[in-house]
Amino acid sequence: MALLHILNFPDPRLHKKAAPVKLVDDRIRQLVADMAETMYAAPGVGLAATQVDVHLRVLVIDTSEDKTGLQAFINPEIIALDGEQVCEEGCLSVPGIYEKVSRAARVRVRALNEQGKAFELDAEGLLAVCLQHEIDHLDGKVFVEHLSQLKQNRIKQKMAKRSRVTV
């Protein structure tokens, strides 16, 4: 396994739409393992392949307290949304920034697992938020784009300033 480099907003590669995975093979399983290791090390609860500059529809999530609930979603798609919730979100690509975002309270997702087998999952609460957040990444959208233009500009300025200060 390997730690992968996480792109930081406003890197334009974060806006690239991910392509569907054609075949779930050892290369994809290795990507899932590397993404999981990267997510845990960051630390975070979700990571999309787009964030590590791999533009395939793959994401990993673990919302468990003890980090034993890793789930991989290959070619995920939201097939149903219900309700509304406002949660404070953060992002490994926008470190240190947390903002309230409105999302569906419940989602139904269809995806493939690491063996290439199709499954559907109903999620609510934090898992529902994470799925929407990470699928947004696969569609080239970062959570700050759900915010007002003023907040987006402030966050871009803050991130640009941080990148200039870092050596």
Side-chain angles (χ1 to χ4, degrees):
M1 291 196 296
L3 287 178
L4 306 171
H5 174 73
I6 298 173
L7 301 175
N8 280 333
F9 181 77
D11 191 308
R13 293 172 289 181
L14 289 169
H15 297 291
K16 187 172 180 182
K17 190 169 169 105
V21 171
K22 291 181 175 35
L23 175 66
V24 179
D25 56 13
D26 287 342
R27 181 180 64 95
I28 296 300
R29 284 185 278 280
Q30 185 62 54
L31 174 62
V32 166
D34 291 345
M35 287 173 58
E37 183 178 3
T38 302
M39 175 188 72
Y40 289 131
V45 295
L47 186 67
T50 301
Q51 293 176 269
V52 294
D53 203 19
V54 176
H55 302 283
L56 293 172
R57 296 191 73 79
V58 176
L59 63 89
V60 294
I61 292 177
D62 187 347
T63 59
S64 68
E65 290 291 324
D66 60 0
K67 303 302 175 204
T68 60
L70 181 67
Q71 295 176 280
F73 297 82
I74 300 164
N75 296 337
E77 59 178 315
I78 295 173
I79 55 175
L81 298 163
D82 185 46
E84 185 179 343
Q85 63 181 329
V86 176
C87 293
E88 189 170 77
E89 289 187 32
C91 181
L92 296 177
S93 291
V94 194
I97 304 293
Y98 299 90
E99 291 287 342
K100 291 185 189 282
V101 177
S102 178
R103 301 270 189 188
R106 290 167 296 286
V107 298
R108 183 167 188 82
V109 174
R110 179 185 301 135
L112 301 175
N113 66 17
E114 292 172 87
Q115 288 70 47
K117 184 175 173 12
F119 71 95
E120 290 186 7
L121 175 78
D122 291 313
E124 59 185 359
L126 180 58
L127 181 56
V129 169
C130 288
L131 283 163
Q132 292 169 83
H133 178 111
E134 301 306 335
I135 291 171
D136 269 0
H137 276 300
L138 299 179
D139 293 333
K141 189 171 186 177
V142 180
F143 91 99
V144 298
E145 293 166 40
H146 288 278
L147 306 174
S148 70
Q149 195 62 52
L150 177 64
K151 282 188 178 182
Q152 286 182 50
N153 290 337
R154 284 184 181 158
I155 292 167
K156 281 180 188 173
Q157 289 170 351
K158 192 178 283 188
M159 295 300 292
K161 186 176 180 180
R162 281 186 195 166
S163 67
R164 284 193 302 269
V165 172
T166 330
V167 178

